[in-house]
Amino acid sequence: MKHINLQLFGNVGPQAIGGDQNYNTPSPLNTTKQNTTTGDMSPTMKVFYDTALLENARDEMVFTQLGDKQPMKGNTVEWRKFNTFAPALTPLTEGVIPTGQTFGMTAITANTTQHGDYVAVTDRLEMESYDDVIYGATEEMGAAEGVTFDTLTRNILVAGNSKVFAPKIGADGSETPVESRAELDATAILTPKLVAQIATWLKKNKAPKINGYYVMVIHPSQAYDLRQSTDWVEAHKYADVAPIFNGEIGTLHGIRFIESNT
């Protein structure tokens, strides 16, 4: 009885097929073996070059839209306001001149700063590179500029004196007040109750609204917590036609929320 080794059909070698021989040793394949003088096909195995560049993930710029932009001269900005008068609740007496009020003005100043950067691209790199390095450098510099403006605006906003910190929520639902940013941890949760309290505090302090709403910028993790409230209204379900901010996700208790991961 003759035995045929089917493995021979997968090998390229000098052995013959058939007969009474026991073909248990396959012949070597030297088609891609490197560092040999014969049978070396590695030079033809190339790395595929995809002409399409991968895109970098970008942060959505949301803070700069909340500020006013205007051309200016000089290195210091000054804002001014007239001081308000107390209400005149005392009735006038005929023939008597009232005491009168003191008229004044308050000024707030800030110094301007200049920010920028650069990258060097040699003429040889520009000439010999497969990719358009000038275009790539320009695109990345533009993205960095947007992040710079947005980050500087955010830093000014969070440095304000009017601050509310989310309380720490215990496993039993108890709340522990937080007095400083350093005390915040994973148990400090922005709740719908706190949002309502913030809206009330803003109204009591006569804070102006934007298109009839207050605006709050929150992290996606906080947005997840607020979306669990039955009073949450998604942005695409608004009944009014007021302009929607870039990155706006919804509203709760008279506050419109903008999502940002920065």
Side-chain angles (χ1 to χ4, degrees):
M1 180 177 182
K2 295 182 179 181
H3 300 279
I4 298 177
N5 189 350
L6 296 178
Q7 179 62 35
L8 294 176
F9 292 94
N11 298 326
V12 178
Q15 299 177 355
I17 300 177
D20 294 328
Q21 301 180 16
N22 187 9
Y23 299 101
N24 294 321
T25 304
S27 60
L29 292 175
N30 292 325
T31 55
T32 59
K33 185 177 181 181
Q34 299 183 7
N35 302 323
T36 60
T37 57
T38 60
D40 183 11
M41 296 296 292
S42 61
T44 194
M45 308 300 292
K46 301 296 184 182
V47 175
F48 173 73
Y49 178 82
D50 194 342
T51 56
L53 289 172
L54 299 178
E55 294 186 3
N56 291 320
R58 308 288 190 196
D59 292 324
E60 191 168 8
M61 307 293 102
V62 299
F63 288 97
T64 52
Q65 66 180 324
L66 303 177
D68 293 331
K69 304 178 183 65
Q70 63 183 58
M72 59 166 290
K73 295 288 186 180
N75 57 9
T76 302
V77 182
E78 180 184 76
W79 296 273
R80 302 168 309 282
K81 64 177 290 293
F82 291 117
N83 295 341
T84 59
F85 295 130
L89 302 179
T90 303
L92 294 175
T93 301
E94 184 179 1
V96 177
I97 300 175
T99 303
Q101 299 277 1
T102 300
F103 190 36
M105 175 179 284
T106 301
I108 301 175
T109 61
N111 296 326
T112 62
T113 57
Q114 186 178 24
H115 300 263
D117 210 340
Y118 78 97
V119 62
V121 177
T122 65
D123 55 346
R124 182 171 181 177
L125 175 60
E126 181 184 4
M127 179 177 61
E128 297 180 357
S129 174
Y130 278 96
D131 298 311
D132 190 343
V133 292
I134 297 297
Y135 173 81
T138 303
E139 183 179 30
E140 293 307 316
M141 275 292 175
E145 177 188 15
V147 174
T148 299
F149 276 117
D150 213 56
T151 303
L152 291 173
T153 305
R154 181 204 63 187
N155 293 345
I156 294 298
L157 290 175
V158 299
N161 295 324
S162 300
K163 300 178 181 179
V164 177
F165 298 103
K168 297 181 180 181
I169 308 299
D172 58 351
S174 60
E175 297 184 4
T176 302
V178 174
E179 303 298 334
S180 66
R181 190 177 300 276
E183 298 179 27
L184 294 172
D185 57 23
T187 64
I189 300 176
L190 178 63
T191 62
K193 174 184 175 182
L194 181 58
V195 171
Q197 292 174 343
I198 293 173
T200 302
W201 182 87
L202 291 171
K203 292 176 183 178
K204 291 169 58 177
N205 286 273
K206 306 175 183 178
K209 297 181 179 181
I210 303 177
N211 296 327
Y213 290 86
Y214 296 118
V215 180
M216 184 184 297
V217 182
I218 59 175
H219 190 270
S221 297
Q222 297 172 323
Y224 171 81
D225 294 331
L226 294 181
R227 281 191 171 103
Q228 310 309 311
S229 172
T230 56
D231 295 327
W232 174 268
V233 180
E234 297 288 349
H236 66 276
K237 296 180 180 179
Y238 288 172
D240 56 50
V241 293
I244 297 179
F245 295 100
N246 181 34
E248 185 174 348
I249 58 174
T251 182
L252 179 66
H253 298 319
I255 298 180
R256 287 192 168 187
F257 291 87
I258 300 174
E259 195 173 55
S260 172
N261 58 358
T262 59

